[in-house]
Every structure is written in C-alpha cells, then in structure tokens.
C-alpha cells in the first residue's frame, strides 16, 4: 500500500510541478490560443491530483475487503461537497470555481476514506505527506517563470531537484525500480504464455 501511494503521489507531484512551470505554454499548444486563460484551471486540477492516490488506494482496499458500501459513501461525500461548494464557487469564479469544487469534493472523499481505513493506510498517509511536502518545496519556481525556454529549464530543474532529494533521502530507490521492472516482466511473461495457449 505504501509503495503504490508513494509512486502515484510522485507522479502527481511531477504533473503539479509541470503545471506550474510549463502549463501556460502547453495549454495553447494542446487546446489552442483561445484557451490560454484556462491555465489556472490546469493548476487547480493538477493540485487536486495530489489527493487522488489516497482515495484511489483506500477504495481499492475497501473493495478488496468486500466493503463496497464504504466506496459508495465516499463517492456520495465527494458528490455532496462538490455540489455544496460548487454552486457558490462557480457563481464567483466560473470554470475555475468548478475546478476548485472538484478538488474540495475529492479532498472530502480522501479524508473520509483515510479516516475509515487509518489502521491500514496510516503509514502510507505519512509517506504521502512526506512526498507531497518535498514537492511543495519546489513550487516557488512558479515565481521565476518567463519565456517558454526559461519555463522548460525551470521544469527540468524542479523535477530533477525533486527526484534527487527523494533519492538522497531514500524515499525512492533502485530496489523499488527493480521491483516495478520485475512486476512488468512477470506480466509480459504471463501475457506471452496466455497468447501461446491453443484455443
């Protein structure tokens, strides 16, 4: 559980740092120049991604323990909070308000599920806090943004610095990477064996 939460969170932090540094350059390239004002929405949704690993892993654990009602109540909490805060936020900030409301809903779901599954996910939650906290240390690069080339350099520096700090502190390791590689190797081997079975 800790390993899944950790790697999903690392990926979410990388996306978050990307939204802060090169997001404003990527939005016009992907969606068109008319959507440039939507850049704050991208940052809001990328911030929401930081919470997704907790809710996702807790939901999987609840289903594994044959408790789908827990997942359902978490989804109801997310929907209720989204609607409760979404209406006033959309009236005030329009689409950006809707993105913030999505974040609030996912946060409510994560809090509910983590509180309910604390005995299992407590250590993973503490690991999540560490991974996110280290990522937020690099968030101030946002204030150094400039042209596209400069933003790209900032992104590379932020990501490189973040991963280096994780590696030095032992949060991520070569052993983890080897474990992932072995798991993928086993999956590929199993797929080949299934493909070789005659109908």
């Amino acid at each position: 559980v800790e390993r899944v939460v950790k790697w999903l969170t690392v990926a979410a932090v990388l996306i978050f740092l990307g939204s802060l540094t090169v997001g404003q350059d990527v939005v016009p390239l992907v969606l068109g120049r008319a959507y440039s004002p939507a850049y704050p929405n991208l940052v809001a949704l990328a911030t929401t991604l930081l919470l997704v690993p907790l809710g996702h892993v807790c939901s999987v654990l609840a289903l594994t323990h044959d408790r789908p009602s827990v997942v359902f109540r978490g989804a109801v909490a997310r929907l209720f909070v989204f609607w409760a805060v979404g209406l006033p936020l959309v009236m005030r900030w329009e689409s950006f308000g809707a993105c913030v409301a999505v974040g609030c809903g996912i946060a409510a779901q994560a809090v509910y599920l983590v509180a309910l599954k604390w005995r299992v996910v407590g250590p993973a939650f503490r690991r999540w806090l560490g991974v996110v906290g280290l990522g937020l240390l690099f968030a101030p690069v946002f204030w150094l943004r400039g042209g596209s080339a400069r933003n790209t350099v900032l992104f590379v520096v932020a990501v490189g610095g973040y991963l280096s700090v994780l590696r030095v502190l032992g949060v991520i390791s070569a052993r983890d990477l080897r474990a992932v590689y072995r798991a993928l190797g086993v999956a590929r081997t199993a797929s080949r064996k299934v493909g070789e079975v005659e109908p």
Side-chain angles (χ1 to χ4, degrees):
V1 171
E2 284 187 56
R3 184 171 290 175
V4 171
V5 169
K6 176 179 66 179
W7 284 105
L8 288 177
T9 307
V10 168
V13 170
L14 296 180
I15 295 172
F16 170 71
L17 293 176
S19 71
L20 290 179
T21 51
V22 297
Q24 196 163 18
D25 304 314
V26 171
V27 169
L29 292 176
V30 176
L31 301 177
R33 193 168 298 277
Y35 285 87
S36 294
Y39 164 65
N41 297 9
L42 174 64
V43 175
L45 293 176
T47 304
T48 298
L49 278 180
L50 299 176
L51 299 167
V52 170
L54 291 173
H56 175 71
V57 170
C58 289
S59 296
V60 171
L61 286 172
L63 291 175
T64 302
H65 295 157
D66 197 23
R67 297 188 63 188
S69 61
V70 171
V71 180
F72 176 74
R73 289 196 296 270
V76 169
R78 179 177 63 186
L79 182 63
F80 176 79
V81 171
F82 170 76
W83 279 107
V85 303
L87 291 177
L89 288 178
V90 168
M91 291 175 63
R92 182 176 180 84
W93 292 323
E94 300 178 339
S95 62
F96 178 73
C99 294
V100 174
V102 170
C104 292
I106 290 179
Q109 181 188 35
V111 168
Y112 170 76
L113 293 175
V114 169
L116 209 61
K117 291 289 183 180
W118 179 253
R119 289 178 57 188
V120 180
V121 301
F125 176 75
R126 288 188 286 271
R127 179 60 60 89
W128 175 85
L129 280 178
V131 172
V132 171
L134 290 172
L136 293 179
L137 292 178
F138 292 88
V141 298
F142 170 80
W143 302 107
L144 303 176
R145 291 175 60 256
S148 298
R150 182 175 183 175
N151 295 342
T152 302
V153 171
L154 287 176
F155 172 68
V156 172
V157 169
V159 168
Y162 173 62
L163 294 178
S164 297
V165 170
L166 292 180
R167 181 68 181 91
V168 169
L169 295 179
V171 178
I172 58 176
S173 64
R175 184 180 64 180
D176 280 343
L177 293 177
R178 286 195 297 269
V180 172
Y181 177 78
R182 284 197 301 270
L184 293 175
V186 170
R188 287 196 297 268
T189 302
S191 298
R192 285 198 298 268
K193 288 181 178 179
V194 170
E196 292 170 359
V197 174
E198 292 291 334

